Amino acid sequence: MASTVITDKRPGYGQLLRTPGALSFLLPGFAARQPFAMLTIGIVLLVQHTTGSFGSAGAVAAVTGVSMALFAPQSGKLADRFGQRAVLVPGVLVHTAAVSLLVALALAGAPLWALFLAAIPAGASVPQVGPMVRARWAAKLDGTPLMPTAAAFESVTDEFTFVVGPVLATALCTGVHPAAGLIAEAALTLVGGLFFAAQRATQPAHGLSAAAGHHGGEPHRSALSVPGVRVLIVAFLGIGSVFGGMQVSLTAFTEEIGNPGANGLLYGVFAAGNMLAGIAMGAVAWKTGPRRRLILGYAGLTVTASLLWTAHSVLLLGALGLVVGLCIAPALITGYTIVETLIPASARTEAFTWLTGAVALGQAAAVTVAGRLADAHGASTGFLVPMAGTALALATLLALRSRLSPREASRVAARGIGHRVPVTVD
């Protein structure tokens, strides 16, 4: 789909939201992505209520997270191949049924293995609305200066979702019924997902219609075949380790000092830093190329994440958490900006879901490792997980930074995945 936007020298959010047709998919997309942040906490609160074990609740939630991370890219690939609506409609129906089954089993006192079995399809069918919204932005803004602004806007929206969603699910589970959070998650997924799927006018062209015109009938290839996408997946795994490590370690830290109520405040400060940086990223007309911004931003994230384990007071940990949050948004937003330059339109949704899935997988792994470290050696050791995750990812970025060039993606395109015009990313 050709670009439909003419931009000035300083793109901003007002200009972005005036993009023709944008509000038609943004509003239902926002409603449809809220359940994504409600699922994990809803499972934890319900299963803990029915089993009396946080360990069992966390294990069921982890199965859901891993399942989502593994199946999300396949959902994105199918959306690129057959269209978003063709994947989203059956997906939300399956997800609603799977979550309903999980609720019924938990309330009936089913054994843990049965909850695990229900958690697999519940996670695998999570609608990938965020990547689908990003794909719609990319289809409308392809080649314009508004793409980084759109990436920043989506990052802020995601962060806002992860602030509102857990609060809503917790309020429903504690104030109405332990199953109310998951029931609301399933209902919002069904209604929001179907409403979003109904916005056909802004749906990107899918692979079946594009293949004949652009690929000469050659078979569709995965976004994973582009080397730069694999490098970005490693970077996003590191970002996921920050999210997961912070969630567990902040909880353990506040309990260790006898002030568990401070956990929400500390995580809120961390999330606020991410949101503020995301807003700023979209408002700046950058002269530095995205690849250089990614490396510099990731270096800053690694340094600040490496200092978390040294904090021994709420005030210092809050300050460091704010700075870490400020560093996450530049890395996250720039990664999404770069991946859009590496892949053809026929693989956009899949590429975005690989990155989203990488964050979820890194988060699930970090929750498990940080939890074990905190239990065995104290809360501070849990913060070593974000340090290790970001350090390894930064080393990968530095060693393989040349693969983030669209020129290499173009060589892959010549072998059949598609065609893009090379642009400079430094």
Side-chain angles (χ1 to χ4, degrees):
M1 184 181 297
S3 171
T4 58
V5 180
I6 299 175
T7 62
D8 56 26
K9 294 182 179 180
R10 190 177 182 82
Y13 292 111
Q15 185 178 1
L16 180 72
L17 295 177
R18 289 193 297 271
T19 301
L23 293 181
S24 69
F25 66 83
L26 280 182
L27 296 179
F30 178 77
R33 72 173 64 182
Q34 285 300 317
F36 184 82
M38 300 172 65
L39 182 61
T40 298
I41 188 65
I43 290 174
V44 168
L45 293 174
L46 174 60
V47 176
Q48 192 279 330
H49 171 78
T50 58
T51 65
S53 169
F54 276 108
S56 297
V60 176
V63 169
T64 304
V66 172
S67 178
M68 191 278 286
L70 294 177
F71 282 90
Q74 304 311 313
S75 172
K77 189 173 183 178
L78 290 172
D80 286 326
R81 182 73 168 160
F82 300 104
Q84 293 184 0
R85 186 176 185 276
V87 174
L88 194 56
V89 171
V92 298
L93 296 177
V94 170
H95 183 74
T96 302
V99 172
S100 300
L101 176 62
L102 180 58
V103 170
L105 290 173
L107 293 178
L112 193 60
W113 62 264
L115 300 183
F116 285 150
L117 289 179
I120 293 173
S125 59
V126 171
Q128 298 303 308
V129 176
M132 289 182 180
V133 171
R134 285 184 165 92
R136 294 189 185 214
W137 278 127
K140 280 192 164 292
L141 305 176
D142 192 15
T144 75
L146 276 174
M147 267 309 299
T149 306
F153 182 86
E154 288 304 306
S155 178
V156 173
T157 302
D158 283 341
E159 199 59 40
F160 184 71
T161 295
F162 276 96
V163 171
V164 174
V167 172
L168 176 60
T170 301
L172 290 170
C173 289
T174 57
V176 179
H177 187 276
L182 277 184
I183 292 173
E185 188 273 347
L188 280 172
T189 297
L190 181 63
V191 176
L194 292 179
F195 189 23
F196 179 78
Q199 312 308 310
R200 298 188 183 186
T202 56
Q203 178 177 265
H206 54 78
L208 289 181
S209 61
H214 297 288
H215 307 314
E218 293 189 23
H220 177 86
R221 296 190 184 184
S222 171
L224 201 60
S225 65
V226 179
V229 173
R230 300 196 292 268
V231 175
L232 289 173
I233 286 173
V234 175
F236 276 57
L237 282 169
I239 292 173
S241 75
V242 178
F243 285 120
M246 290 287 283
Q247 287 175 346
V248 171
S249 301
L250 286 176
T251 301
F253 176 82
T254 54
E255 290 184 355
E256 194 174 86
I257 64 174
N259 187 14
N263 178 43
L265 175 63
L266 288 174
Y267 197 82
V269 169
F270 165 68
N274 197 350
M275 290 181 65
L276 290 173
I279 293 171
M281 284 285 293
V284 173
W286 295 99
K287 295 182 180 179
T288 305
R291 184 169 64 179
R292 188 170 300 172
R293 294 204 308 271
L294 175 62
I295 293 175
L296 291 175
Y298 217 99
L301 175 61
T302 303
V303 170
T304 54
S306 299
L307 298 174
L308 288 169
W309 71 276
T310 66
H312 298 289
S313 71
V314 171
L315 183 62
L316 181 56
L317 189 54
L320 284 174
L322 176 65
V323 178
V324 171
L326 289 171
C327 292
I328 281 183
L332 197 68
I333 292 167
T334 309
Y336 277 119
T337 301
I338 290 176
V339 78
E340 198 277 329
T341 71
L342 296 175
I343 57 172
S346 62
R348 277 176 178 149
T349 309
E350 181 198 352
F352 290 139
T353 50
W354 273 113
L355 299 188
T356 303
V359 173
L361 189 59
Q363 184 174 348
V367 165
T368 303
V369 176
R372 290 183 177 275
L373 287 174
D375 285 341
H377 305 290
S380 295
T381 58
F383 289 115
L384 295 175
V385 173
M387 179 181 74
T390 53
L392 291 172
L394 177 61
T396 302
L397 279 176
L398 291 173
L400 302 176
R401 61 187 180 276
S402 63
R403 299 190 179 185
L404 299 178
S405 169
R407 290 185 295 273
E408 181 158 353
S410 295
R411 289 195 293 271
V412 175
R415 297 195 295 269
I417 191 171
H419 176 72
R420 295 191 65 85
V421 177
V423 297
T424 302
V425 296
D426 279 331

